[in-house]
Amino acid sequence: MKKLLSIVAAGALLLGLAGCASSGDSGDSAGGDGPKAVGDLVVGFAQVGAESGWRTANTKDIQDSFEEAGIELKFSDAQQKQENQIKAIRSYIQQGVDYIAFSPVVETGWDAVLNEAKAAGIPVILTDRAVDSKDTSLYVSFLGSDFIEEGKKAGQWVLDQYKDSTEPVNIVQLEGTTGAAPAIDRAEGFAEVIADNENLKVVASQTGDFTRAGGKQVMEAMLKSQPDIDLVYAHNDDMGLGAIEAIEAAGLVPGKDIKIVTVDAVHDGMQALADGKINFIVECSPLLGAQLVDIIKTLNDGGTVEPRIITEETTFTQEQAIEALPDRKY
Ligand code: GZL
């Protein structure tokens, strides 16, 4: 009997050890074996859409950066619909990717899906746009521009341009996507600065959804409803370019009869600035790919990253655009 019991005990011990080995449990508390090889990482990226020159440049830069780093990137285009971005994030969670990154099309409505990613132990990085979640544990870092600052830079140019004006200056504003962080913040920063001159009045403001067609359509309506427009403030180049088409179709000269200030500094916007059809552009850099790869590599190595990483950017006058155009990457 004693002999039988010792055989059973030995067998149980062997099975137990085998069990440990098969679960890959190296005995450390995390259950992991330390950082993955970079080449084994898989990242899910849920992009807003392809609504503008900026977005196209942003997508290309991210895809090129991950290819160069040898990291697998699963990519989705939400066609500017939040439900599609949420679906994509859920799919990445199901697939068990190592990291999720996305540019939230609007600020609100993300807590549920971000809590699902957190429960699955998948770190999330925000790129380009912010969310309004109060729980900042739902994402590791937010990499992107300071949109309020961009609005202030646009407002400062207008303030300087009309500092000696004694007449009312009628401004129309082409807003970005309703509820999107850049639309909300660019309007806020601009309004804060132009408030210093009571002659500067935003007489009409409407979303053109960051698209050239949207900007043209809204500008056509504003030209009909507003008797005297002095300046257009467009939240991105694409809507500014659409406004140029509407202004020219109305027999007016963009950049002269109606001045135009935009944000982004993508190629077509910079060309219009060089041609004098736009008067001033505030840069918003789409080149976030390399920084996003660095964030993921740092996290994979067990490092920590800043919760807010603001991208470097500048502004352009016509002369500066003429000089910068030949070397622009996008
Ligand atoms: C800004 C980005 C905006 C661009 C638009 O970071 O989210 O969205 O300004 C783009 O051109 O559509």
Side-chain angles (χ1 to χ4, degrees), residues 88-289:
I89 293 169
R90 285 202 166 115
S91 160
Y92 297 145
I93 294 169
Q94 284 300 319
Q95 296 175 64
V97 298
D98 297 296
Y99 297 90
I100 290 170
F102 77 114
S103 169
V105 61
V106 293
E107 283 190 341
T108 56
W110 300 100
D111 283 28
V113 74
L114 292 181
N115 271 299
E116 290 165 30
K118 183 178 177 182
I122 301 175
V124 173
I125 299 119
L126 302 182
T127 67
D128 169 29
R129 297 184 183 177
V131 297
D132 69 351
S133 302
K134 298 287 175 284
D135 180 358
T136 53
S137 75
L138 293 176
Y139 53 91
V140 177
S141 182
F142 166 32
L143 163 63
S145 304
D146 179 340
F147 302 127
I148 292 180
E149 194 53 37
E150 291 173 346
K152 287 183 176 177
K153 289 175 183 175
Q156 189 58 52
W157 184 86
V158 175
L159 206 57
D160 297 343
Q161 190 70 25
Y162 294 98
K163 65 181 181 303
D164 303 324
S165 167
T166 55
E167 297 295 310
V169 177
N170 297 324
I171 299 166
V172 296
Q173 179 172 231
L174 303 180
E175 300 169 14
T177 302
T178 303
I184 294 166
D185 292 354
R186 286 172 184 167
E188 180 185 324
F190 184 79
E192 185 183 318
V193 168
I194 68 166
D196 283 356
N197 179 344
E198 62 186 13
N199 286 327
L200 302 177
K201 287 262 183 287
V202 175
V203 295
S205 187
Q206 190 178 332
T207 181
D209 213 15
F210 282 131
T211 67
R212 196 176 293 210
K216 181 179 180 184
Q217 194 177 1
V218 171
M219 192 66 210
E220 284 166 347
M222 287 178 169
L223 285 163
K224 292 190 179 86
S225 63
Q226 295 300 327
D228 176 19
I229 298 171
D230 297 296
L231 180 134
V232 179
Y233 168 46
H235 289 179
N236 80 334
D237 291 354
D238 292 68
M239 293 190 292
L241 293 164
I244 286 171
E245 291 179 37
I247 291 166
E248 289 177 330
L252 298 169
V253 181
K256 291 187 172 44
D257 297 333
I258 297 179
K259 295 197 185 312
I260 301 177
V261 177
T262 66
V263 185
D264 274 353
V266 295
H267 180 272
D268 292 353
M270 291 286 273
Q271 189 59 61
L273 177 57
D275 298 342
K277 294 186 177 182
I278 289 178
N279 300 90
F280 186 69
I281 298 184
V282 176
E283 185 182 42
C284 174
S285 176
L287 305 180
L288 306 176

Side-chain angles (χ1 to χ4, degrees), residues 15-37:
L15 274 177
L17 286 175
C20 270
S22 65
S23 72
D25 181 353
S26 57
D28 65 36
S29 57
D33 300 320
K36 267 187 155 181

